Amino acid sequence: MIRLYGIKNCDTVQKARKWLDQHQVSYEFHDFRSDGMDSVPVDEWINTLGWEKVLNKRSTSWRALSDEQKTGMDDTLAAACTQKEPTLIKRPVLTMPGKTPAFGFKTADYEAHLA
């Protein structure tokens, strides 16, 4: 099953959802805020790709972290921080069985990922 993770009012998530809908791709949407973080496989993403690929270091949430948190960031701290502040995760996240998750939205990347 294809799953798209994000926040429904995020512009980039909206673009990704629109693209998937236009290309008649069946997917399940999981909103970090309204659906919660309990079933979100953030630890798996971080273990597979590293926290640097999962966290959005240009986000307001990243800038709100303390300097100590930023300089001491590692996989364990990243997983803990995303549970408290899911907006730290690069959005959207597109997951499919047997494929590495895709973070962010670019048409070419989605075309390649879904090929």
Side-chain angles (χ1 to χ4, degrees):
M1 167 183 288
I2 297 173
R3 196 169 272 141
L4 187 73
Y5 294 89
I7 296 170
K8 65 183 168 199
N9 64 346
C10 171
D11 290 341
T12 309
V13 170
Q14 290 173 358
K15 288 176 190 174
R17 292 183 76 181
K18 182 177 178 180
W19 187 92
L20 291 169
D21 292 342
Q22 288 174 340
H23 289 82
Q24 300 175 346
V25 175
S26 179
Y27 65 96
E28 180 180 293
F29 179 66
H30 182 100
D31 187 299
F32 292 140
R33 288 189 176 139
S34 61
D35 297 326
M37 292 296 292
D38 291 341
S39 65
V40 178
V42 176
D43 291 341
E44 181 182 320
W45 299 340
I46 292 171
N47 289 336
T48 301
L49 300 168
W51 70 266
E52 297 91 344
K53 295 274 187 187
V54 176
L55 298 189
N56 181 0
K57 295 199 296 185
R58 295 184 301 168
S59 71
T60 304
S61 301
W62 175 265
R63 290 190 297 270
L65 294 175
S66 70
D67 288 339
E68 182 179 276
Q69 287 173 308
K70 290 177 197 173
T71 58
M73 190 59 67
D74 61 13
D75 291 352
T76 304
L77 180 57
C81 287
T82 59
Q83 291 300 317
K84 293 176 189 167
E85 191 56 63
T87 56
L88 279 167
I89 300 170
K90 286 181 190 171
R91 300 179 303 270
V93 184
L94 181 69
T95 63
M96 299 172 59
K99 292 208 174 186
T100 302
F103 288 81
F105 174 70
K106 290 183 182 161
T107 302
D109 292 347
Y110 270 46
E111 288 170 349
H113 202 73
L114 293 165

